[in-house]
Amino acid sequence: MPAPLPRRLVEVIAVAAVGSRHRHGSGCIVNGRTVLTAAHVVADAVEVLVRSSTKHRWPATLDPRFVGELSGPRPDLALVEIEDPSFEPLPPMPLARVDRSSTEMIECNAFGYPLHGESPSAQRDTVQAAGVVLPGSHLVTGLLSVYVRNTPRELLEHGHSASSPWSGMSGGPVVTSDGLLLGVVFEHRPREGQSTIKAVPITAIEPDLEYPRWGAGVIDAAAWWSRLGVTGIADLSAVPTAGSRQVVAGLPDYVPSRVRDREGERGALRALVTGQESVLSELRGPAGVGKTALAAEVAREFPGRAAFLTATGYSGVTVTTVLDALAEMVADGTKRELLKAQLRVPQADPLTRLDDVLVALAAGPVLLVVDEAQELLKPDGQLHDEGIAAMFTEIAHSRGRSVRVLFVTTSPVGTRTTPRIRLPSADPVRLDGGLPPQEYNGFVSDLISARRDQVQALPIPELERMTGRHPRRTEILVGIPHGPDLDRAADAHRLADVVMASLVPDQARTVEALAVCRRPVDAKAAAHLAGLTRDDARQILDELANRRIVREHGGLYHVPNDEARSVLRRLGPAVVAGHTKRAASYFEAEARRAHPASLDDCVDWFNAIALHIAAGDPERALSVIEDVDERHLREWGHSDALLPWLREVSNKLTDTRDKVCHGSLLARALAQYGRLDDGIAEVIKAGRLNVEMKDSQRQVALLLQLAGYLFRAGRIRLAAQQYKDAAGRACDDHRPGNAESIAGLALCDAQTGRFDAALRHIDAARHNLAIRRQHDHDIQLLHVRLDYNQALVELELGDDTRSSESVGRARAAADGLDATPLLARCDDLEARIMLYRQQPEDALPLATAACEIAARIGGPELARIAGATYATVLLRLRRFPEALIASHSAARFKRSFFVAEALAIEGVAAFRIDNTGDRARAAFTQAIGFAEKLLQQEWHNYRAWEAAAIAQVGLALMDEATDSWQAEHAYQRAIEGSSNKLGGRHRRRELFDILTAGRPATILTRIRQLLA
């Protein structure tokens, strides 16, 4: 039986010459006393030392016949022999080769002593880098590309210089999850990312007859194989084997790579997640009984792709992380990258983004495991994040059921009633009690083998008595020094006392700091909160992770929440409150110093918010919420990420000013989530509170916020009333609010066909801005918007010359302000001017540029407008399939009323491809439905009438009707609403002509006369 890997893993130290620096590498004892490493580690060495994980040193013999080449035809492999006869020889390690015909990934681990694993005493510690070898990754150079999940941590300051933080890993073994040796680490290539390691396969000992350019092998292959304990390549196991398990994205490193027990529960869970009706399901049981390991095993065996999220801290399970995890499971690389770009569109509501993901995953099936799912719930059983509930409920009712979600939890997450997630009626799989007796010995042996140090475990019967064969309690007790207090561990409630008593003071403070944080944190945070240096904290954390007292994943450490609560109970409420405030202040200070570029970079902000709330300081939490929204989230269109914390503080605020601020922030979060009606209600509530304070500046801001939401909801006249009220309230020292109000009135006028009034309001807004400081960025942006809106109105009036001049001014100013979304709007408008001038070829590059920007950084409104223009240009050029794709993309934001026009254009494109197809009929029908919703809100919205009219014409043509009174009525209303100005007249006639091209002039005659 092979020896456990920790006994085989060694550090190789080569002395090249007297007075020169030592070279450090890694190696593996493969057979007897023979160590396999990389040739470049030991080449030209005058002395070689081998050091074990227990820090024992042995001199080693270097035979030049068993050293390959640093570069050239011979492989970068070497064998050295431990000289000490007292060293107990180890049995041969099983070897493996990559099966080139396989299309499956190989789950593996790279082990070694990299530079970033160095301790303060300059003795490097071992690192396990879990990852995969992708199929075909070795077919270019013959080297294996190991894509590992670890990110090397920040290098310690010992004065070392290295090209890579992985330096020192060279020569370390690359081992499959089944313990088979594939090869040794060759190099890390920074250009391929921090998490790509190159490895020399063990098969490089012999020349490859199929790919001779890969190398000539060693000089005496038979001698090499003999020292490795085999006769040749034929003795190597081929991997991956048939039925190999997949690598699960996001699976924490502390989860066992294989589960050997509980076949009954495993079979039941496998049947549950693969069943046709089990879209959402649960694995339920007490903490620490092995639910995570069982769920991971089922995920590895799932017939489709699988991913893993853990609901502990941010960013565990949020709307964004769920969408990202699902998107990563899209098989097609091009589609996956396009989808990930779509998910980053600002202002796009999460359910629209979910629609995009579900469409991309239609081929399915995929499995998302949500571990520690009980952490999604508040003490009263309600979900912290109502967005998560809506998202999973939407998945449960999605057509096709390609996505499956497994909740791993200690308490029920789903019910068939709100406010929890609505799960189907399938019963959960339950996991209770300890391991089966026949499997417990193997479990303990695996724990001991995985330790990096020598451990003297209690006898198995003693462990069984103390733990009841409970996996997590066994994990903790294995390795705790013997002592009189150890018997108390038999009482599960006193286990925390036993653990803490086994720690030295620095270790105990570190565990307490992690428990206070209640979420995964890095070594820097733990060091600050425990009062240690960062190097000392990292060494302590790694030791605690080795002892399984804390868990580590991706450089973050945490104590499981139920155990953290036991630690906090020992400290007492007053001490915990003080520590929590200190932790909140630390994360807030760290957040304010950082320069985040995305939500993933805002972890410190969110940690600070959650800890301020836990410390009983909702006012401070609200202040941090307001700051992060103002600095980052509002601009990114991700204020919805704050929704759970805004809900949590809503009933804890006492100051009226804080309540007003909270109402405005909550409204913005709800609106960005796509819940405009709820956002409108919250702004109204905040406005009523603000009246008591008589804060005129805040009231203007609230009125502008309310007007914007009403406009987006299609309630244009109500929006105009709020803009008018805001303009009246804006006093002389708040002229920007006055100008913005008047600019909003101009938008409302233009949308309802009152073009002369719109131009007057634009001039009035400019007058209000004239006396302000022109270098103010917000004022300059407002000038750009006014020029752009003026160009829009002028085009509707048919004055393309003035429109072109106005958009030119807007473009020049936007370019100077680096206002990319406004530049895209200018591109789009110039494309429409080219269409009006009958120059679709000139319109194409402008429309294309606008669409590309909209797809990258624009919001739903820009994506809809630019996509509709681009599709219209393609229709004019008779490129109907491309027009269908563009219009469908523009119409994907179906939770916006203004999508009617894009749907109508999609119908036109589909009709021109297949005039009897269901797709065209569906698009026309949906366009009419959205237009009718808009018209219920605002009867004078002439663009809604236009969308309804062209869709009615399309349905009439599909039904082979000679006329359509519905279309005629809609066109009549559109003409009256826009006073039949030239721009609108041209747009209506253009789409009608494209739709009816090739049809006899004797049909739809009254409509033709109307549009003439």
Side-chain angles (χ1 to χ4, degrees), residues 954-965:
L955 291 178
L957 291 175
M958 296 189 76
D959 295 335
E960 299 185 353
T962 58
D963 229 322
S964 170
W965 68 265

Side-chain angles (χ1 to χ4, degrees), residues 185-208:
V185 174
F186 168 62
E187 69 173 347
H188 164 248
R189 296 181 175 179
R191 65 180 179 273
E192 297 185 23
Q194 280 197 326
S195 296
T196 303
I197 294 174
K198 291 292 184 181
V200 181
I202 198 74
T203 51
I205 289 173
E206 292 190 14
D208 194 293

Side-chain angles (χ1 to χ4, degrees), residues 865-877:
I865 292 171
T869 302
Y870 181 47
T872 304
V873 172
L874 293 169
L875 287 174
R876 282 290 307 274
L877 296 172

Side-chain angles (χ1 to χ4, degrees), residues 282-315:
E282 280 186 359
L283 171 61
R284 196 186 305 164
V289 295
K291 301 186 300 300
T292 300
L294 186 62
E297 188 73 358
V298 169
R300 294 185 186 106
E301 299 168 347
F302 188 71
R305 294 199 171 198
F308 210 91
L309 290 177
T310 302
T312 303
Y314 187 89
S315 56

Side-chain angles (χ1 to χ4, degrees), residues 767-785:
H767 175 73
N768 272 272
L769 291 176
I771 62 173
R772 304 296 295 179
R773 292 174 300 169
Q774 295 302 304
H775 63 271
D776 186 287
H777 186 266
D778 290 339
I779 291 176
Q780 289 176 317
L781 280 178
L782 188 50
H783 273 296
V784 176
R785 286 166 46 200

Side-chain angles (χ1 to χ4, degrees), residues 22-56:
H22 295 181
R23 287 200 302 268
H24 291 257
S26 304
C28 180
I29 304 172
V30 287
N31 181 30
R33 300 186 182 95
T34 299
V35 176
L36 175 66
T37 185
H40 72 267
V41 173
V42 296
D44 302 324
V46 297
E47 181 184 3
V48 176
L49 298 173
V50 171
R51 183 163 58 193
S52 72
S53 59
T54 59
K55 310 308 179 189
H56 287 101

Side-chain angles (χ1 to χ4, degrees), residues 2-12 25-38 41 50-52 78-82 87 90-95 109-113 169-175 179-185 202 227-228:
L5 189 62
R7 288 179 57 194
R8 296 183 180 272
L9 186 62
V10 294
E11 184 179 9
V12 179
S26 304
C28 180
I29 304 172
V30 287
N31 181 30
R33 300 186 182 95
T34 299
V35 176
L36 175 66
T37 185
V41 173
V50 171
R51 183 163 58 193
S52 72
L79 298 176
V80 300
E81 191 80 7
I82 296 175
F87 179 87
L90 298 182
M93 185 172 185
L95 310 179
N109 294 277
F111 295 87
Y113 292 79
M169 194 86 168
S170 294
V174 176
V175 183
L180 306 178
L181 179 64
L182 271 176
V184 303
V185 174
I202 198 74
R227 290 189 65 181
L228 293 173

